[in-house]
Amino acid sequence: MTRRGTYVCGIDAAIDVVGGKWKVLILWALAQQPCRFGELRRGIPGVTEKVLASHLRELEADGIVCREESYEGAVRRVTYALTPLGSSLNEALAPLGAWGRENLLS
């Protein structure tokens, strides 16, 4: 994984990877199961196709998400899934999600 710039601490580096509104929602959706682009788009209300495509490319470049192409005849199917690194990042974000549920969703 190559990122931009030098970091002050580990949190700084992690936030650089998941920064923005949509990346954590993409990670959450992919934790449930691998998804095709359209499934992700429908599962994350409000995200535009352009932003989703851009974030998926960034997460793929960082080794968080893998993109798998398959063909059924002439139809190309692209599926996105978490890599082991992406799964470990989701595990690290779980306590943050629990904090949000306990303190902000009640």
Side-chain angles (χ1 to χ4, degrees):
M1 171 174 17
T2 58
R3 293 303 292 173
R4 32 193 189 269
T6 46
Y7 300 109
V8 176
C9 65
I11 291 175
D12 187 20
I15 294 300
D16 191 25
V17 173
V18 296
K21 178 178 181 178
W22 305 110
K23 286 185 181 177
V24 292
L25 296 176
I26 294 168
L27 292 173
W28 177 81
L30 292 176
Q32 313 305 312
Q33 65 185 11
C35 295
R36 295 184 57 205
F37 185 88
E39 293 171 320
L40 284 171
R41 174 85 167 78
R42 287 186 300 276
I44 305 172
V47 68
T48 64
E49 288 186 23
K50 179 180 177 181
V51 169
L52 180 58
S54 172
H55 284 342
L56 284 168
R57 278 192 299 274
E58 289 174 15
L59 290 167
E60 184 182 10
D62 290 335
I64 304 297
V65 168
C66 65
R67 180 180 187 271
E68 199 171 296
E69 287 187 34
S70 63
Y71 290 89
E72 293 179 11
V75 178
R76 180 178 68 151
R77 297 198 180 271
V78 178
T79 303
Y80 295 91
L82 291 178
T83 63
L85 186 61
S87 294
S88 71
L89 178 57
N90 251 358
E91 290 172 18
L93 291 170
L96 187 60
W99 183 91
R101 280 189 302 278
E102 291 171 16
N103 295 289
L104 301 176
L105 293 180
S106 15

